[in-house]
Amino acid sequence: MTERHDVLIVGAGHGGAQAAIALRQQKYEGSIAIIGEEPELPYERPPLSKDYLAGEKTFERILIRPPSFWPDRNIATLTGRRVDTVDAAAHTVTCADGGSVGYGTLIWAAGGHPRRLSCPGHDLAGVHAVRTRADVDQLLTELPGAARIVVIGGGSIGLEAAAALTKRGKHVTVVEALDRVLARVAGAALSRFYEGEHRAHGVDVRLSAAVTCIEGEHRVTGVRLADGELLSCEIVIVGIGIVPAVEPLLAAGASGSNGVDVDRRCRTTLPDIYAIGDCAAHENAFAGGARIRVESVGNANDQAMLVAKALMGTQEDFHALPWFWSNQYDLKLQTVGLSTGHDSAILRGDMAARSFSLVYLKNGRVIALDCVNATRDYVQGRALVTSGARVDPVRLADASVPLKEMLG
């Protein structure tokens, strides 16, 4: 007999956990189950490339809730099970172990899997991703025997890993294919600032550098670049983004390509199936209405709350302001809004003092802020982004004037 739950949540990350938590907080009385590929209970992912990799937090400290939380609230946790197929008509999913689980409503919060290299040597021992606890635990077991590490990818995950490993005394080289780090998420000024910070901490940053292959017989011994240079190393970390984990939904007939498409209420094109978090491609007002995926804890939590409310009878359109953060060394970067497509950037504060903000404008309106060790600007700048405020650039640049005073 097929196991069945009123709400089945696929994915045990932030979005999946928050959906279950929110339903119980709003007094949902039906049966709830979270099904996840990993053997662990829901845990926080951001610390994997920060505190957990640096050895500053134990795994128990990054659990989203204590182990007793889930049974105490009658939330079943089906760990170590991967969903392979979805039968939307029958309202069932089938797992890799052959078992089936039925549902009344399905919330797909499966996130994504690390994008892999395709070059020769990509599958050698010593080549790692930083996406799951198992990824990082395996990496940590190999660290004592490694002095040199190459990080492929200069995005947030790659740079956070580089910072954490530098703290551990490793010689780290970052290889980025584009001409600056953080190129996909930040303006050029912030990219150059972080490039300089990493170099000041001893990281060898290689820009506009393509990888030809990973060398080694059974285990990695080096990374060969397109110009012929060999970067000798004992460990490689690959941080080049994720592939949305939506294959079962697309195979079942859901609309989507880069992720699974959802409407303003996070509904897929399949009946009684919602999608949230990293894998959900939605029309985002802060991206000019473009259909995008937002890979952040905040987005996953906001969409989880929206769906939980919908299942309790409150229908709302999604209109949450995107926000992100990154910790590297003693720098706390807090981002609000989406800077993509900005036509000017205003500096508030002093980069040399390592406390400043960059305010991004498009057609004269504030669309995003990157705040480095400047929490007050981050908090007060949210309202400027939400309202699309027009502010005199000279006034914006005056860090002595609080941003809250610039709301017109």
Side-chain angles (χ1 to χ4, degrees):
M1 183 176 177
T2 301
E3 178 181 359
R4 186 187 183 281
H5 299 275
D6 295 317
V7 175
L8 178 63
I9 301 167
V10 177
H14 287 273
Q18 185 59 46
I21 293 167
L23 282 168
R24 288 297 187 233
Q25 286 175 337
Q26 296 178 56
K27 310 304 181 187
Y28 181 79
E29 295 180 353
S31 59
I32 302 173
I34 300 173
I35 185 166
E37 290 187 20
E38 298 177 66
E40 284 83 19
L41 293 172
Y43 64 91
E44 300 177 42
R45 311 299 162 135
L48 292 177
S49 57
K50 306 178 183 74
D51 314 69
Y52 190 64
L53 179 56
E56 296 168 356
K57 276 189 179 179
T58 63
F59 181 72
E60 289 66 32
R61 289 183 60 198
I62 67 173
L63 286 170
I64 290 175
R65 291 291 188 275
S68 61
F69 176 91
W70 309 104
D72 286 352
R73 285 155 183 81
N74 198 24
I75 298 170
T77 49
L78 312 179
T79 57
R81 302 184 71 182
R82 188 183 77 242
V83 172
D84 277 353
T85 62
V86 174
D87 187 331
H91 280 52
T92 60
V93 303
T94 302
C95 300
D97 59 14
S100 296
V101 184
Y103 63 85
T105 299
L106 181 65
I107 302 176
W108 194 269
H113 299 115
R115 189 176 298 280
R116 304 290 182 180
L117 294 172
S118 57
C119 64
H122 70 276
D123 54 353
L124 286 172
V127 178
H128 298 276
V130 180
R131 185 70 179 178
T132 67
R133 179 195 184 181
D135 291 336
V136 180
D137 283 353
Q138 180 59 39
L139 173 59
L140 290 172
T141 65
E142 298 177 18
L143 277 185
R148 299 160 300 178
I149 298 172
V150 172
V151 176
I152 299 175
S156 296
I157 294 295
L159 294 184
E160 288 167 1
L165 294 167
T166 298
K167 284 183 183 179
R168 286 180 168 269
K170 306 302 180 182
H171 180 269
V172 180
T173 300
V174 172
V175 177
E176 169 56 51
L178 299 179
D179 62 357
R180 58 188 178 92
V181 299
L182 299 173
R184 296 173 181 84
V185 297
L190 192 74
S191 295
R192 299 309 176 201
F193 172 79
Y194 271 93
E195 176 190 332
E197 283 291 325
H198 278 274
R199 286 185 165 140
H201 281 86
V203 177
D204 183 1
V205 180
R206 305 296 187 95
L207 303 174
S208 301
V211 173
T212 299
C213 67
I214 309 297
E215 297 205 350
E217 287 197 23
H218 303 291
R219 182 175 181 85
V220 60
T221 58
V223 174
R224 181 75 65 179
L225 301 182
D227 64 5
E229 183 179 3
L230 179 66
L231 303 175
S232 297
C233 61
E234 294 79 37
I235 288 176
V236 171
I237 294 175
V238 181
I240 55 174
I242 66 167
V243 178
V246 295
E247 296 90 343
L249 286 184
L250 300 186
S255 173
S257 54
N258 178 23
V260 61
D261 292 345
V262 297
D263 66 10
R264 292 181 179 178
R265 295 181 179 175
C266 293
R267 297 173 296 196
T268 72
T269 54
L270 297 174
D272 301 315
I273 300 180
Y274 294 82
I276 61 176
D278 292 3
C279 65
H282 61 281
E283 293 180 1
N284 192 293
F286 298 97
R291 184 173 292 280
I292 62 171
R293 293 184 302 104
V294 176
E295 298 175 13
S296 77
V297 170
N299 178 71
N301 287 345
D302 289 337
Q303 291 183 332
M305 289 295 297
L306 183 93
V307 172
K309 288 180 180 179
L311 296 185
M312 294 301 291
T314 301
Q315 301 295 330
E316 298 176 355
D317 287 348
F318 184 67
H319 189 72
L321 180 62
W323 57 273
F324 315 84
W325 84 94
S326 178
N327 295 334
Q328 300 170 40
Y329 308 112
D330 57 343
L331 301 170
K332 184 176 184 66
L333 169 62
Q334 294 170 289
T335 298
V336 60
L338 301 170
S339 62
T340 307
H342 70 274
D343 50 35
S344 63
I346 308 299
L347 173 65
R348 284 173 56 84
D350 181 7
M351 284 190 171
R354 305 170 83 247
S355 176
F356 63 91
S357 297
L358 287 160
V359 184
Y360 298 96
L361 307 178
K362 184 176 183 179
N363 299 325
R365 295 187 180 277
V366 177
I367 61 168
L369 287 89
D370 281 325
C371 306
V372 176
N373 293 343
T375 298
R376 187 178 71 166
D377 276 2
Y378 169 74
V379 172
Q380 296 183 7
R382 296 177 68 90
L384 296 179
V385 178
T386 300
S387 63
R390 292 183 181 274
V391 184
D392 176 16
V394 175
R395 195 162 184 240
L396 266 180
D398 187 349
S400 68
V401 180
L403 290 176
K404 65 181 179 182
E405 295 183 10
M406 300 185 190
L407 278 171

